[in-house]
Amino acid sequence: MLDLKIKYNELTAEQFIELWETVWGDGPSLEQTRLAMKHTLFRVSIWDGDCIVAMARMNGDMGLNYYIKDVVVRPEYQGKGIGRMLIDELRRFINNNGVKGTDIFVELCAVPDKIPFYEKFGFEANEAQRLKNFIMSSNIKFQFFYMRRTHSGQLCR
């Protein structure tokens, strides 16, 4: 039986990289990740005892737009409802912090095989395309994204 515990805004750069590498391979640098954790609006992590098994981040402006980022569940824990727990916590954060009575855009990008998971929460794919560009400046490689959103606010694909 799983002994799951949810933690808020405690995810460290080291834990982020550890979990990242279970799914996506080599993680970003420690310095980069520390800066990202510092500037992330909301972080949620799920633990089984003292082992981190899942994480997700939320970026946004607290008014018009929230962006779900880095939803990761350790492979051996996938299919156990943990991803749903992460999304529920992110949605709870938006509900508790967003401007009441207004429409709030919640966006994410997902690889094609994960789209059905997000559709269960009401996300819909649209014709928008995600564009990216890597730029090297002062020995730092930057990645910029441009996402076009339709007037209906559907998620970026």
Side-chain angles (χ1 to χ4, degrees):
M1 182 172 182
L2 298 177
D3 176 28
L4 299 179
K5 180 178 181 180
I6 299 172
K7 296 183 181 181
Y8 307 99
N9 297 318
E10 295 183 23
L11 180 68
T12 68
E14 293 82 1
Q15 294 160 347
F16 178 93
I17 293 169
E18 173 191 341
L19 199 52
W20 171 295
E21 291 179 346
T22 68
V23 175
W24 294 320
D26 291 339
S29 75
L30 186 58
E31 181 181 4
Q32 227 180 348
T33 308
R34 283 184 176 145
L35 189 59
M37 294 302 101
K38 179 180 177 181
H39 293 283
T40 294
L41 188 61
F42 177 67
R43 302 182 310 268
V44 60
S45 54
I46 299 179
W47 296 74
D48 183 8
D50 60 359
C51 177
I52 186 167
V53 299
M55 68 178 180
R57 298 189 307 134
M58 178 80 69
N59 291 317
D61 58 23
M62 299 290 289
L64 298 174
N65 194 22
Y66 290 89
Y67 189 80
I68 295 173
K69 191 80 177 120
D70 304 319
V71 177
V72 178
V73 177
R74 197 177 284 271
E76 61 270 26
Y77 285 82
Q78 292 177 8
K80 301 178 186 303
I82 296 172
R84 174 173 290 282
M85 291 171 64
L86 290 171
I87 299 301
D88 287 345
E89 292 300 325
L90 295 173
R91 292 172 67 174
R92 184 174 293 114
F93 177 84
I94 294 166
N95 188 59
N96 292 340
N97 294 282
V99 178
K100 305 296 182 220
T102 64
D103 290 331
I104 299 171
F105 294 112
V106 180
E107 301 174 298
L108 60 83
C109 286
V111 293
D113 67 324
K114 298 299 182 190
I115 289 174
F117 170 76
Y118 293 107
E119 289 175 334
K120 294 175 189 176
F121 298 95
F123 287 94
E124 298 175 351
N126 65 19
E127 72 283 351
Q129 295 293 311
R130 177 178 172 201
L131 306 175
K132 64 182 178 179
N133 184 11
F134 290 97
I135 298 173
M136 186 66 85
S137 175
S138 302
N139 296 323
I140 299 173
K141 191 174 188 179
F142 290 95
Q143 186 173 7
F144 293 93
F145 293 96
Y146 170 78
M147 295 183 297
R148 185 174 59 84
R149 180 177 56 225
T150 64
H151 294 289
S152 65
Q154 293 175 317
L155 84 113
C156 167
R157 183 176 352 154

